[in-house]
Amino acid sequence: MNAEKRVAELFGVAGKRALVTGATAGIGRLIAQGLAEAGVKVWAVARNAGEVDALARELSANTPCHAITADVTSDEGLAAIKAALGDLPLDILVNNAGINVDTPLDGDGREGFDTVLGLNVTAPFLVLQKVLPNLEKAATREDPSRVINITSVAALDPGGLPNYSYAASKSALAMMTRQLGRHLAKRNISCNAIAPGIFPSRMSEKFLGLKPGDTPPPAWASPLGGRAGTLDDITGATIYLCSRAGAWVTGIMLPVSGGAATIKSS
């Protein structure tokens, strides 16, 4: 086998099946798009039926994409995911759905914490439980099924925003990833996390005023280039973890942030 073909096979993911939650906006949309362009059959999950149907039609230009309208925090939503997959083997689960709401220090933060922890921590675990038989069906020793939890650089550095519930939830998800990495290994399933920095998203627009194409303000700029993340940045990290190249990696959190929260700019 020549070197070029070997590298292509090492990072190839075509033909795999992936479930991506929170797939219609921000990082979830980028991951769904990147996987579809790489030949992965995507089951896209989101609460808004119109948005997820439109995404499925768009991504199906590359490879079959299926829309699942579901709220991953509800029993009905979890049942809808399971019904859509049936008994199909599932190679990849990307737990991306998440939320960030204000939780003021001086005021009633209970509702905010309950909402954020429910979607950012509890839901990924419940989705995993629901599709675990599908992941086990696809898993082999040489090519484990993959679980990728989307955390945040907020799990590494508290930053300047008073987003207590969000930072706490992403830190909790990072630790749950490590714990799952240990226990799922016995079932030939790996579990890793990606910790994104600033990417164009509804969340970054709401909290930072950052619109697609904008350069982050100095306080939020990455040491590497001072820019926001792109489709290629998040796709590259995801494909690495899902391909043969990442088959022997589990229990880690991979920052994709241009060095934000991991190194200090000079």
Side-chain angles (χ1 to χ4, degrees), residues 125-170:
F125 184 78
L126 296 180
V127 172
L128 170 61
Q129 280 188 317
K130 188 62 68 173
V131 304
L132 187 54
N134 305 82
L135 290 165
E136 287 185 295
K137 199 168 186 178
T140 67
R141 184 180 179 185
E142 294 74 23
D143 189 15
S145 292
R146 321 296 166 90
V147 177
I148 299 177
N149 294 322
I150 305 303
T151 58
S152 167
V153 291
L156 297 166
D157 187 329
L161 292 176
N163 54 347
Y164 307 105
S165 59
Y166 181 76
S169 71
K170 293 303 185 178

Side-chain angles (χ1 to χ4, degrees), residues 57-226:
R57 289 193 298 271
E58 177 186 333
L59 297 188
S60 290
N62 297 294
T63 193
C65 179
H66 308 272
I68 305 175
T69 303
D71 178 350
V72 295
T73 66
S74 71
D75 290 340
E76 294 79 9
L78 295 171
I81 290 172
K82 183 60 180 177
L85 285 177
D87 295 325
L88 286 173
L90 183 67
D91 303 281
I92 303 161
L93 166 64
V94 180
N95 278 312
N96 166 76
I99 193 171
N100 187 359
V101 301
D102 292 327
T103 46
L105 188 59
D106 298 305
D108 185 5
R110 180 181 296 277
E111 182 177 355
F113 260 91
D114 289 346
T115 299
V116 171
L117 293 176
L119 181 55
N120 294 6
V121 183
T122 307
F125 184 78
L126 296 180
V127 172
L128 170 61
Q129 280 188 317
K130 188 62 68 173
V131 304
L132 187 54
N134 305 82
L135 290 165
E136 287 185 295
K137 199 168 186 178
T140 67
R141 184 180 179 185
E142 294 74 23
D143 189 15
S145 292
R146 321 296 166 90
V147 177
I148 299 177
N149 294 322
I150 305 303
T151 58
S152 167
V153 291
L156 297 166
D157 187 329
L161 292 176
N163 54 347
Y164 307 105
S165 59
Y166 181 76
S169 71
K170 293 303 185 178
S171 298
L173 185 58
M175 178 54 72
M176 187 167 71
T177 297
R178 294 176 63 188
Q179 197 169 18
L180 287 169
R182 169 174 289 185
H183 293 284
L184 290 176
K186 304 166 187 174
R187 307 187 188 203
N188 292 322
I189 301 171
S190 69
C191 185
N192 295 293
I194 294 176
I198 301 298
F199 279 76
S201 67
R202 292 171 183 170
M203 192 180 298
S204 61
E205 184 172 356
K206 175 182 177 182
F207 286 91
L208 302 178
L210 186 70
K211 296 180 180 179
D214 287 352
T215 298
W220 297 96
S222 65
L224 188 61

Side-chain angles (χ1 to χ4, degrees), residues 212-239:
D214 287 352
T215 298
W220 297 96
S222 65
L224 188 61
R227 61 175 177 82
T230 67
L231 170 65
D232 287 349
D233 296 322
I234 198 68
T235 297
T238 303
I239 287 178

